Amino acid sequence: CRRLVWSLLVSNCVVLVTLWVGLDLEKKKYQRKPAAPPSVRNVTQVCATDDPYSWDVVTLSSVVEAHQDQKLVSHCGSCGACSNPHDLYRLSYLDGSDRVRVAGCAWSIVVSGKRGVDRCLQNKLNFTTACHDCWSRYIHCSTVHCHFSCITRGFLGPSGCQECQARSCKAEYLQCAGVDRHRLGFVNVEKDGSITPEAAADSCQSIDYRF
């Protein structure tokens, strides 16, 4: 019995040390990377359309150009794989349960690789194939670059999961998808219900319609 208890204690210590060392090395690595690119600030391009329910979208240099061409601004930033009515609707109504599903899909990569993540996202979030491919890449990027930061989730100190994902994977995701919730006009709200000036500035205020 003592041997069993001793073995468990040693195993737990090894796991904790491995997590701590991995987390420390990962944190140093992602903090050397440039700060996460803002979703909206310093972004002048917009994705526009003639009809909110049309899949024909075009990237224009500014809101002014869009309105001069009598087009409606779908979101800030250039158009991407998720800039169609179906995916914009899904992004607009993502809630806490959807985020739990995304986290669940992230574990699929351990068992089934990228194909498993693709199937999980398609079944649980119902994005178009091109859009969920962007999400799949984002999850794969997070798994590769932010494994320890996200798996500990603050267990060994303040969680750096979101900062790591933002610094390591956000730019590639936006280049692929074209849009996130900030570019759709949503704002990050603090736990006390307040909105920081930075969060307000990084939320698109130029959208001409919502679903």
Side-chain angles (χ1 to χ4, degrees), residues 41 182 186-203 205:
R41 279 176 290 131
H182 296 154
F186 292 91
V187 183
N188 282 348
V189 179
E190 300 297 313
K191 292 182 179 180
D192 61 1
S194 63
I195 298 174
T196 65
E198 292 79 9
D202 202 30
S203 173
Q205 304 300 313

Side-chain angles (χ1 to χ4, degrees), residues 120-132:
C120 183
L121 289 173
Q122 185 64 40
N123 293 334
K124 295 186 176 182
L125 294 183
N126 194 31
F127 289 120
T128 61
T129 301
C131 184
H132 86 237

Side-chain angles (χ1 to χ4, degrees), residues 153-198:
R153 288 283 180 178
F155 176 67
L156 297 176
S159 176
C161 181
Q162 290 186 348
E163 182 185 357
C164 179
Q165 289 174 326
R167 286 176 178 261
S168 304
C169 308
K170 181 179 178 180
E172 181 183 357
Y173 167 79
L174 286 176
Q175 185 176 7
C176 178
V179 59
D180 60 6
R181 284 173 59 83
H182 296 154
R183 290 189 172 186
L184 279 173
F186 292 91
V187 183
N188 282 348
V189 179
E190 300 297 313
K191 292 182 179 180
D192 61 1
S194 63
I195 298 174
T196 65
E198 292 79 9

Side-chain angles (χ1 to χ4, degrees), residues 3-143:
R3 287 185 177 180
L4 178 60
V5 172
W6 178 250
S7 297
L8 289 173
L9 287 173
V10 171
S11 299
N12 287 336
C13 287
V14 170
V15 170
L16 287 174
V17 169
T18 301
L19 289 174
W20 186 83
V21 172
L23 181 64
D24 184 60
L25 292 175
E26 190 173 85
K27 183 177 182 180
K28 290 177 180 177
K29 186 175 181 179
Y30 74 69
Q31 287 188 335
R32 288 197 297 266
K33 297 178 181 179
S39 295
V40 176
R41 279 176 290 131
N42 305 322
V43 175
T44 60
Q45 290 181 318
V46 295
C47 183
T49 183
D50 294 318
D51 179 356
Y53 297 98
S54 171
W55 288 57
D56 293 325
V57 294
V58 62
T59 299
L60 298 174
S61 62
S62 66
V63 176
V64 173
E65 183 183 2
H67 291 166
Q68 286 177 343
D69 290 350
Q70 297 184 337
K71 294 185 181 297
L72 301 172
V73 174
S74 304
H75 63 76
C76 290
S78 59
C79 303
C82 302
S83 300
N84 60 78
H86 177 87
D87 292 323
L88 292 180
Y89 177 86
R90 290 294 298 124
L91 284 168
S92 297
Y93 290 95
L94 284 181
D95 56 21
S97 61
D98 289 317
R99 296 186 182 93
V100 171
R101 294 187 185 101
V102 171
C105 288
W107 287 102
S108 301
I109 201 167
V110 178
V111 179
S112 307
K114 186 176 181 296
R115 289 184 179 180
V117 176
D118 289 343
R119 287 194 299 270
C120 183
L121 289 173
Q122 185 64 40
N123 293 334
K124 295 186 176 182
L125 294 183
N126 194 31
F127 289 120
T128 61
T129 301
C131 184
H132 86 237
D133 184 59
C134 299
W135 280 73
S136 179
R137 293 183 192 181
Y138 181 79
I139 289 174
H140 182 263
C141 176
S142 298
T143 303

